[in-house]
Amino acid sequence: MSKIINTRPHGNGNTRLAFSKDGSRVFTGGADSLVRIWDVGQGADNEPDTAAEAEGPITWIEAAEDCWLSSSEDSEVRRYAKDSTSYEAPITSAAGVSVRCIAIDPQARKVAVASDELFVKVVDMEGITTPQKLEGYTSAIRALTWHPSGNLLTTCTQDGKIVIWDVSQSPAKREKVIEGIIPVVKDESSNEFQYDCSAVWHTSGEHFYVASKGHEIVTISRSNWSRVPGTFTDKNAVGAITALTLSPNGVYLLSASKSTVFAWSTQTKRVIASQAGTPGSIITQLAFCPKRNLVAWTDNEGGFTRWAEPISNTFPDPIKPGIGTKASASTTITRKPDTDLFGEDVLGKDDVMDDEANMAALDEDDDMLDIDKDWIVDDMDGALHDNEPVGGAGRSNAGFVKEMVSITKAQPPFQPGSTPFQNKKRYLAYNMLGVIEAIDQDVHQIINVVFFNQSSRSSFHFTDLFKNDLGYLGDCGAVFACPPEVNHPARVLFKPYSSAAQEWTYPLRPSTKVLGIAAGGLAPNSYNTNSTVDLQGYGNVVVATSEHDLTFLTGSGRERRILALPGDFVTMVAAPEWVFVVYRPGSTTIDGSQNLYYIVINFEDFSVRQRDVLPVPKGQTLKWVGLTEEGLPAMYDSTGYLSVLSKVRIPHHAAWVRISDTNLLERRQGKDETYWPVGISDSIFMCLILKGNQEYPGFPRPLIQELSITFPFRNADEREEKLERNLLYTQTLLDGLDDDLTSEAVQTREQALDKELILLIQGACKNGNVPRAIELVKLLHNVPSYTAAGQVADFYKLWVLKEKVEALKELREEEEDRLVVARNKRRRWLKPDKPLRMLASDGGANGGRRFDPLGDTRPPPPVERPSMNRVTRPVVEKTRFTSAAPPTQQQQASSSASTWGDDSLLTDSPPPVEKRKRDDLEEWPMSDSMPPPKTTKGNNPFARKAQEPNRNPFARSVEKQHSLHKSESFFDKVESAESGGNGTLSSKKRVPGFKGKEKAPDKKDAPKQTTLLNMMPKKPKAKPQATAADSQTDVETQATDDVAMSDLTLREDSQAETIPDSWEETQLVEEETQEA
């Protein structure tokens, strides 16, 4: 018989089929109101039997051990004899509406009937007159399936609900209503209405499979009615899923998409085989033969196709019961503890599975494992098999079941803040900026981008013809990505918020899928009024693809780099300066760990800032990743733990800090609720509240709730927890300062922290806990806070504590500023690593350069010590008070001993200098813009001659005599007063023997003041009389020279002048020219 047999027994329209229980017959029914019975063992030339009692299109066919049933749009459910066209009796009928589906329970005692009526009939096959009604529906029912135990009935409605009934009790009880998984289809004329949306129960009864509206195969757990992690993914299996069926032993699941049938392994969730059907047709129902390796399906064109041997012989048999028959979605099978690694392994009769089905056939199959990387196969020639019981009936090694271990299912890639479709609506992104909503319109989507802050960014919407399934809201723009289809490849769309920029697309290769997207960049305060937004760019876009790489693009669409990702991509989030990526470097572990890692890549130079293990507990999954308001990466897992990555800006110094445990929240006590993370703002956890078993937020959009973040300390009180939480936030702000010492936000937090610390110190002092008080004092930030701590210790009369607080205060004042120390530490952390120190060639046979850490005897590299830096070169400022005279001999000697102008002579300490006089003049602050005044001859009475550099301005000249004389204006008035007030000087002739202007001879000769500052003069030496040829000279005072008072004397008798009593000042003047 050919592998594929195609026939067309019915006309165009919805076509159904079913196998008989023994697998020898297959029944097909179509829109022509006929049911045809085919012999499975015959080929395409076989003429089928026909049942023509129906008066409307056939809608469903079911088979039991002793009969088979059909339903049609004529409102009737008919019963026929086994494998025959003999019509026996009607089972039930609807009230003038179409019957859509029928299902016989596993015990063949009841049949469930679904019609366009808003209830389900459960009819006893023996007593059809008293059917049981399952009511409470809001729309008609499309499909029915029974649990393998026969106690649960699963119904799928037109409004997208999955309703599970417990029919083991009377009356039946509604067990669970699951919404948002299957699509909403109410139009009977649409192609989607013909799809088989039945929930397919696994043979274990622990979960069922259903085709979701997101074109995925979803697994729903029986224990909690929630989705089981992991999806059936394959690059070729794209598009809407039109039908599902399960192999008789539950090892394989078959699905239909776009006229193609795919065979999946239920353990690995991977495609192992595929077969194309009639091109352009829609497969409406699939069925697996219960006794043969045979699959059959029907399509909307009336076609009937049989696919022989869909499962290759290299894979486990699809019919014989195996380990996967009773396995859950994730099963771990371990060998017995008494395994003998070296003995011969023979299974006894008692070791074989006992099931009501004949499980002995399991021992005859050596291929009962799926050879895939998710399974560990014992290929050690039976070394790990169980021993044969002593005296038991053994079997040969060829009949043993090979041992296998199911590894934890890997978490699939996901986009933070995204949800599946619910009533043709879903969220593509949900973060602190806003939301991206997608509304399915069958042939296209409507994308709504809504921002929470409309003042900085304007909301927008557009028609999506490519049905994007990924979205991300960044600070500079929104990114979208669509899956590959037949008529177009996967592509990335970037829509910037600025009206000055243009959107762009980035197409990928036809076989490449987009697994995740992110956009990072520093956004301006407002896009509506900022005209310089183009200067800082539009950030960066990162695309994770199925080719295990990360593609980096600029905000304008330019490709920058493609980095290989060392593992399977899971999710990512982008900040202004880096991207945070979560990946799986290998497979999951046997003990339930997802084995997730994270990596932080810098946008500027693509350097790896951080890389480490993601702390997801064993048996749990990652639910969300995002950013805090301070820019730290954050994560939330299925356990309820909320963690942030501290010190992410310091390379290789980051650590995960658990900041909250949502299981300990007060509001959760006694409530059945979970939390959908949105973001973290300071000490607030922004999230959505999910009630009951709700897994995703629905529509209309719920309000964001604010939950206080509390460190999950075990014994600390509220104040200590708040202190440590604020210390973490303060340290985060300090890490982001770069070269700045502090900021206003840091100062505000430090002041608040000091207040909290003072209160804690007070509590420690009140309890007499001095060590705790000292520990808290060391955490104080500001020096005035130490004074307050000392006052608290003094109030409680803890004198020893007060002394220690004062000692700590003095130590803080003497030490280097803590902010400077923190900045230097940041600089050292951010400094690139130095290259290895290499040794020069030893000239031996090896030659070259090599690194020998033990043989390197050179001194170590210098260590930076800012507090021991050498003194900087002094800056000498020229002012109008600066002396213009050359330096003295003493200064020249000092200058020659230490030359400041030569940098090579500088040492760590400045050279000793002579004690300086009049520092107030030399250290007077002057501006460089004020030059010294121009020196004019004769305008400075204290100027020194250029040829006499060391001349004392008050010393007696050897060459010529200087004399003291009265000021004319002053002494004229004095003499006039002494002569009666009417006398005037008629002549300026000097009395012989006197120099300068002197008193009249009749005055008393006793001087009022003999020397300057009233010091006794020395006996004058005889000097020759000054002549008229003596020239006028200028002298200059030197600020650093001492005045020798002994060099300045007044002459007695003819050599000195007599100073009157009325003198108040003396003045050094120039000598006048003798009169002619």
Side-chain angles (χ1 to χ4, degrees), residues 636 638-640 662-676 687-695 705 707:
Y636 184 78
S638 57
T639 311
T662 57
N663 300 300
L664 303 178
L665 296 177
E666 294 183 2
R667 63 162 293 130
R668 192 172 185 180
Q669 305 307 317
K671 296 181 181 179
D672 184 13
E673 65 181 25
T674 54
Y675 308 99
W676 176 265
C687 63
L688 304 177
I689 307 298
L690 306 180
K691 298 293 184 179
N693 293 326
Q694 187 180 3
E695 191 174 359
Q705 304 295 323
L707 303 181

Side-chain angles (χ1 to χ4, degrees), residues 598-625:
Y598 74 91
I599 184 172
V600 179
I601 303 175
N602 189 27
F603 282 135
E604 183 177 358
D605 54 1
F606 304 101
S607 60
V608 177
R609 294 296 183 92
Q610 313 291 340
R611 182 185 311 186
D612 207 345
V613 180
L614 199 69
V616 177
K618 294 180 180 179
Q620 306 298 328
T621 56
L622 180 65
K623 289 294 185 181
W624 172 82
V625 294

Side-chain angles (χ1 to χ4, degrees), residues 273 360 423 425 495 629 636 709 727 820 828 1044:
N423 300 328
K425 292 183 179 180
K495 285 183 170 291
E629 192 176 36
Y636 184 78
I709 293 177
L727 283 174
V820 176
R828 290 195 300 270

Side-chain angles (χ1 to χ4, degrees), residues 494 504-506 553-559:
F494 181 74
W504 50 266
T505 59
Y506 177 74
L553 304 101
T554 63
S556 61
R558 180 177 61 88
E559 288 183 286

